Amino acid sequence: MQFEDDDVRQCPVEAVMSGSVSMVMKSSVEEDEGGWGLGIPEKMRSNANWVDITQDFKGACKELKLGELLHDKLFGLFEAMSAIEMMDPKMDAGMIGNQVNRKVLNFEQAVKDEAIRVKDLSLPELIGIVDTCFCCLITWLEGHSLAQTVFTCLYVHNPELIQDPALKAFALGILKVCDIAREKVNKAAVFEEEDFQAMTYGFKMANNVTDLRVTGMLKDVEDELQRKVKSTRSRQGEQRDPEVELDHQQCLALFSRIKFTRLLLTALISFTKKETSAVSEAQKLMSQAADLLPAIHSTIQYGIQSQNDTTKGDHPIMMGFEPLVNQRLLPPTFPRYAKIIKREEMVNYFSKLIERIKTVCEVINTTNLHSILDFFCEFSEQSPCVLSRSLLQTTFLIDNKKVFGTHLMQDMIKDALRYFVSPPVLSPKCSLYNNHQAKDYIDSFVTHCSRPFCSLIQIHGHNRARQRDKLGHILEEFATLQDEAEKVDAALHGLLMKLEPQRQHLACLGTWVLYHNLRIMIQYLLSGFELELYSMHEYYYIYWYLSEFLYAWLMSTLSRADSSQMAEERILEEQQQKGRSSKKSKKKKKARPLGKEITMSQAYQNMCAGMYKTMIALDMDGKVRKPLFELDSEQVRYEHRFAPFNSVVTPPPVHYIQFKEMSDLKKYSPPPRSADLYMAASKHFQQAKLILENVASPDAEVNRILKVAKPNIVVMKLLAGGHKKETKALPEFDFSAHKYFPVVKII
């Protein structure tokens, strides 16, 4: 690090003595000679005994070879990697402000210098400011800081100074939207640093004005604009003045935007209420907001357009906006450039956000825990934004820790048990139902279930990459729960044998916990395909673990639960036949509750088996690129992929040596050739297709799997017949139709 010869660097004697200059990196003499002159404040000159160390420092630098590092034990390579070189624009966020020629003004200075106006704004100016504010709001929701997005709008720094009623109401409205969104996201706690930045940098979020007052102000402005819209509307047979028509369109444009802001704010306020009726209200408001989007989209051109910031090329520069106004508030870190989205994309984003919020509102119509879990899984698959994920979490479990604010989590778990496995202890017709000891056992177990299940639902609120990591950790909690379930089952079975010898209570609660355990494990492995974590050479053992092991366990678990339900139903029927009527028993003979899930699991198992055999056959034909293992091996990678399963006792993890023994083709006589495996894979895909084509009312997932199974049947048959066997080109795996199962393409 070299200084100019005339640049005198001084520091207090105490600082030199303490060895505070702890790291120096030698660089070439010609490099970076300028820009180090720093004036020392007068106050510091007078208060310290300063000594010139420039020559000593330069002399020490000359002793280092090019690229050498000097460090003490308190400042090693780790600290060097996270250190920031102050005053380097590439590393110090505070330096960006020095790169522009214009004077950066805050709100009060800009008003004083008449750089911006607070009254008598034209309609195009208002439309332009509102649209740019919307773009900043969206950029904030996508993970950037408030200081670099919403608060680059000077008007929201102090809305009290604004005299224009429309702009004042809008500025307060945007602040309230930000405040409620921030509160919801913080409360749900399903965000990571890459998702959301909650810091307000000391700005007031309009807390001195009530929500009701702000919505009232927006409504007043809206009504005033509506009167203008009506007064400038064209009348039948009247010759239209182009200026009046333009005025009408601009009034309509601003009216749509103000009304949209009010509806968005009111919907978010509805989510802060504890009653479920407020959620239905929010859904109606979102539908009304969606109706305004076409009008907003078609009038974007009426707003004043921004000139792009010359420093970075994308930040809007227009009246009321200063991208560098908060530069000094940012922490001393590497500059993170906030690219504000374009106005054309704004409407599209709002449209998707509204659809997501409307979907969130539908969660209150789901009644049992399994449906709620499925709802959260399906919602998460869309990779929703942090705000909609947070709203879903806070709607599900409200402040009073009740589901939707009305149901106890323990009651939801009991209902889920009745639905899935019909344990005798929860049947009113069973002698255990009113047994105090049995009640204590089941109540204690259900209470212990509450936390892991709430955590599982919360995990589905995180972004997809973080979910996978957290699913691996929660398996430990479910393993403990599995152990407890088996003990409670045994205790209840012992009690039941004494009271009703013809009934049994074996593996009821255990089956239910095992089912959830398996679901988590399957989701953990499948999400690796979605996140593109696996290399092609790893596919075969992932698909093997799924088809031969996890789905096999899941099928037997579902079958056991189904049998348990049927046994319980038979006992109830017998008891009813002893009584007066058997009408109720006829009602029970409808479709099996777990029928659809058993069918889907069979289809998934066949798809995984087909992919496993495909990968083995491709490997035999030399069409799978394998890495040259130097520092690791296939065993190391295998164990890394399945490491989270080591905490689970049931099902027991399959270790690498077991896997190699179980999947060894040499145990067959004669060992299958690649053509045999291609045919076997084709049969698996065919089987999956047959199963899914018999599903009564196919949903989107069924259709997605069929889109993969059908072409794969054909490709496997071609490969079995020796198609392109000699070609050295590697196959392609196209995951566009389905996230977990690719269409195999031979080039």
Side-chain angles (χ1 to χ4, degrees):
M1 218 176 270
Q2 301 293 322
F3 299 120
E4 287 182 345
D5 292 330
D6 60 345
D7 176 19
V8 178
R9 276 294 224 186
Q10 295 180 309
C11 70
V13 176
E14 298 86 2
V16 177
M17 296 300 289
S18 67
S20 64
V21 181
S22 50
M23 179 168 183
V24 177
M25 182 168 182
K26 173 77 173 172
S27 62
S28 61
V29 179
E30 297 82 18
E31 187 188 304
D32 203 15
E33 285 279 319
W36 287 92
L38 274 182
I40 298 164
E42 205 57 48
K43 197 160 52 171
M44 288 177 72
R45 280 179 194 275
S46 55
N47 292 353
N49 180 17
W50 293 89
V51 173
D52 180 358
I53 63 157
T54 306
Q55 295 311 318
D56 294 342
F57 182 75
K58 284 184 176 177
C61 283
K62 281 174 185 166
E63 290 176 29
L64 292 173
K65 291 177 186 169
L66 189 66
E68 261 189 340
L69 294 172
L70 171 72
H71 70 84
D72 65 13
K73 61 185 178 185
L74 296 175
F75 199 95
L77 278 172
F78 179 78
E79 287 80 8
M81 288 304 293
S82 51
I84 286 160
E85 190 175 334
M86 290 178 72
M87 301 186 71
D88 180 343
K90 291 192 196 76
M91 297 180 83
D92 187 349
M95 286 301 291
I96 292 175
N98 301 351
Q99 293 178 299
V100 291
N101 301 323
R102 67 176 187 277
K103 189 180 177 187
V104 176
L105 304 171
N106 67 24
F107 184 40
E108 285 76 10
Q109 290 168 336
V111 172
K112 193 177 174 184
D113 292 5
E114 296 183 358
I116 65 173
R117 295 197 306 281
V118 289
K119 60 178 180 180
D120 304 326
L121 281 91
S122 67
L123 286 169
E125 285 170 338
L126 288 168
I127 295 164
I129 290 165
V130 169
D131 281 353
T132 310
C133 260
F134 280 154
C135 293
C136 290
L137 172 70
I138 289 166
T139 309
W140 171 59
L141 289 174
E142 284 298 289
H144 290 278
S145 67
L146 273 170
Q148 289 177 292
T149 54
V150 177
F151 284 111
T152 58
C153 175
L154 301 177
Y155 288 112
V156 299
H157 289 209
N158 190 356
E160 296 303 315
L161 296 182
I162 304 170
Q163 293 173 33
D164 186 283
L167 188 55
K168 183 174 184 173
F170 175 75
L172 288 167
I174 278 289
L175 285 173
K176 285 288 181 190
V177 166
C178 290
D179 197 35
I180 295 171
R182 193 175 61 87
E183 181 207 337
K184 284 284 168 195
V185 173
N186 277 332
K187 190 178 279 184
V190 288
F191 69 96
E192 303 291 336
E193 59 185 351
E194 69 268 22
D195 290 319
F196 188 72
Q197 293 188 39
M199 267 186 76
T200 57
Y201 301 91
F203 283 107
K204 294 182 182 73
M205 305 295 283
N207 295 327
N208 56 335
V209 191
T210 63
D211 297 346
L212 202 63
R213 171 104 179 87
V214 175
T215 50
M217 288 169 76
L218 285 162
K219 187 78 174 91
D220 291 344
V221 171
E222 193 186 310
D223 292 344
E224 180 59 35
L225 285 165
Q226 194 164 22
R227 279 193 287 276
K228 280 189 185 173
V229 168
K230 283 179 180 172
S231 67
T232 55
R233 203 161 41 199
S234 62
R235 286 168 183 80
Q236 207 171 4
E238 184 185 70
Q239 188 67 37
R240 196 72 171 135
D241 184 340
E243 277 189 26
V244 178
E245 177 59 30
L246 182 63
D247 192 37
H248 171 75
Q249 291 297 335
Q250 288 172 350
C251 276
L252 190 61
L254 187 58
F255 165 77
S256 303
R257 285 157 174 76
I258 296 292
K259 186 174 181 182
F260 180 83
T261 309
R262 179 179 65 80
L263 291 169
L264 180 62
L265 175 57
T266 316
L268 288 175
I269 293 167
S270 296
F271 279 108
T272 60
K273 295 171 184 168
K274 290 186 171 68
E275 303 82 28
T276 47
S277 58
V279 178
S280 307
E281 184 60 31
Q283 196 169 20
K284 286 177 196 162
L285 291 162
M286 285 289 96
S287 296
Q288 290 173 33
D291 294 340
L292 294 168
L293 289 176
I296 294 173
H297 188 258
S298 63
T299 53
I300 284 172
Q301 75 278 11
Y302 290 126
I304 54 166
Q305 303 300 311
S306 57
Q307 299 86 46
N308 280 339
D309 185 347
T310 48
T311 54
K312 286 285 183 184
D314 271 319
H315 211 298
I317 295 286
M318 58 181 284
M319 188 177 78
F321 288 84
E322 176 48 79
L324 301 175
V325 71
N326 303 315
Q327 207 62 37
R328 302 289 180 204
L329 296 176
L330 298 176
T333 56
F334 303 108
R336 188 177 177 201
Y337 173 49
K339 185 177 180 180
I340 307 295
I341 73 157
K342 299 273 187 292
R343 292 183 192 182
E344 293 72 27
E345 296 162 29
M346 165 193 80
V347 177
N348 189 30
Y349 185 94
F350 275 137
S351 175
K352 288 177 180 171
L353 175 66
I354 287 168
E355 283 310 309
R356 288 194 293 264
I357 294 175
K358 280 160 74 175
T359 306
V360 166
C361 297
E362 285 165 18
V363 75
I364 58 169
N365 302 324
T366 48
T367 48
N368 74 48
L369 188 64
H370 288 195
S371 308
I372 290 169
L373 263 170
D374 289 342
F375 187 98
F376 272 76
C377 287
E378 283 168 27
F379 186 72
S380 168
E381 281 171 11
Q382 304 165 23
S383 295
C385 65
V386 69
L387 176 60
S388 47
R389 296 198 315 253
S390 302
L391 288 174
L392 181 57
Q393 291 288 328
T394 53
T395 304
F396 165 69
L397 212 58
I398 296 178
D399 299 342
N400 56 12
K401 299 298 172 201
K402 286 186 177 179
V403 177
F404 309 137
T406 52
H407 310 291
L408 283 170
M409 189 65 184
Q410 287 90 322
D411 293 341
M412 298 289 282
I413 289 168
K414 283 182 182 177
D415 286 345
L417 278 163
R418 281 191 196 99
Y419 166 79
F420 187 77
V421 82
S422 304
V425 70
L426 294 176
S427 168
K429 303 276 182 182
C430 179
S431 52
L432 287 182
Y433 190 70
N434 292 316
N435 182 295
H436 289 299
Q437 203 176 351
K439 257 190 169 149
D440 289 345
Y441 284 146
I442 192 72
D443 288 347
S444 168
F445 170 72
V446 165
T447 304
H448 290 165
C449 285
S450 294
R451 189 173 165 275
F453 275 94
C454 285
S455 300
L456 182 59
I457 285 170
Q458 190 178 31
I459 285 170
H460 286 106
H462 282 270
N463 68 47
R464 297 294 278 176
R466 296 284 184 169
Q467 264 184 50
R468 186 173 192 273
D469 192 35
K470 290 173 190 295
L471 284 171
H473 291 303
I474 204 173
L475 277 170
E476 292 174 25
E477 285 187 54
F478 273 84
T480 311
L481 208 56
Q482 178 81 49
D483 187 44
E484 186 183 347
E486 284 164 11
K487 286 175 182 170
V488 174
D489 268 333
L492 289 171
H493 184 67
L495 280 174
L496 192 58
M497 285 291 100
K498 291 173 190 169
L499 299 166
E500 293 181 63
Q502 80 280 14
R503 267 184 171 180
Q504 59 168 9
H505 206 299
L506 286 173
C508 287
L509 309 179
T511 299
W512 181 68
V513 178
L514 175 60
Y515 163 74
H516 286 287
N517 240 334
L518 290 163
R519 267 181 59 141
I520 294 167
M521 292 165 87
I522 288 167
Q523 196 176 348
Y524 178 83
L525 287 183
L526 288 177
S527 62
F529 290 108
E530 183 186 350
L531 298 167
E532 299 176 17
L533 300 181
Y534 307 134
S535 296
M536 190 200 292
H537 66 90
E538 294 181 287
Y539 286 179
Y540 88 101
Y541 54 71
I542 302 290
Y543 283 122
W544 178 87
Y545 209 103
L546 284 161
S547 68
E548 301 298 310
F549 192 65
L550 293 181
Y551 275 115
W553 270 84
L554 184 65
M555 301 280 290
S556 67
T557 305
L558 287 166
S559 301
R560 195 160 63 241
D562 198 44
S563 306
S564 177
Q565 277 183 357
M566 288 167 80
E568 197 56 28
E569 282 171 22
R570 263 199 311 277
I571 289 167
L572 287 174
E573 275 179 38
E574 284 166 16
Q575 287 176 349
Q576 281 168 351
Q577 279 163 6
K578 285 176 190 171
R580 293 190 313 275
S581 165
S582 62
K583 279 181 188 172
K584 281 190 179 175
S585 63
K586 284 177 187 169
K587 279 186 189 174
K588 293 237 173 182
K589 286 180 181 173
K590 52 187 179 186
R592 307 296 313 147
L594 303 176
K596 173 89 185 279
E597 193 155 3
I598 291 170
T599 305
M600 289 305 291
S601 299
Q602 284 172 334
Y604 278 122
Q605 187 182 28
N606 274 294
M607 290 299 291
C608 291
M611 282 310 303
Y612 160 63
K613 286 175 182 171
T614 302
M615 294 312 300
I616 293 287
L618 287 169
D619 188 29
M620 279 182 175
D621 287 349
K623 291 188 179 177
V624 175
R625 186 188 284 124
K626 291 193 171 184
L628 296 168
F629 293 111
E630 286 180 27
L631 301 172
D632 66 347
S633 61
E634 187 178 74
Q635 181 170 354
V636 171
R637 292 189 180 210
Y638 177 95
E639 284 166 1
H640 172 71
R641 291 297 180 209
F642 302 109
F645 299 169
N646 291 335
S647 60
V648 181
V649 180
T650 312
V654 180
H655 298 293
Y656 183 72
I657 295 159
Q658 286 173 277
F659 157 69
K660 288 308 269 184
E661 285 170 7
M662 292 164 81
S663 61
D664 188 7
L665 296 176
K666 287 174 186 161
K667 64 185 177 185
Y668 298 103
S669 181
R673 295 167 299 120
S674 62
D676 302 329
L677 288 166
Y678 286 132
M679 274 316 290
S682 171
K683 282 174 186 166
H684 281 299
F685 292 130
Q686 183 73 41
Q687 186 62 26
K689 175 176 168 281
L690 287 171
I691 291 166
L692 294 172
E693 282 177 343
N694 288 325
V695 171
S697 48
D699 55 13
E701 176 64 5
V702 169
N703 293 327
R704 281 195 292 267
I705 301 174
L706 283 170
K707 275 184 188 170
V708 176
K710 287 174 181 175
N712 279 357
I713 294 167
V714 178
V715 173
M716 291 308 114
K717 283 181 178 172
L718 286 170
L719 288 169
H723 177 69
K724 292 201 175 178
K725 189 163 184 172
E726 303 310 314
T727 179
K728 294 291 173 201
L730 297 175
E732 270 186 16
F733 295 95
D734 179 7
F735 283 93
S736 59
H738 198 283
K739 287 181 291 192
Y740 310 140
F741 307 114
V743 172
V744 182
K745 293 182 177 177
I746 304 298
I747 302 150

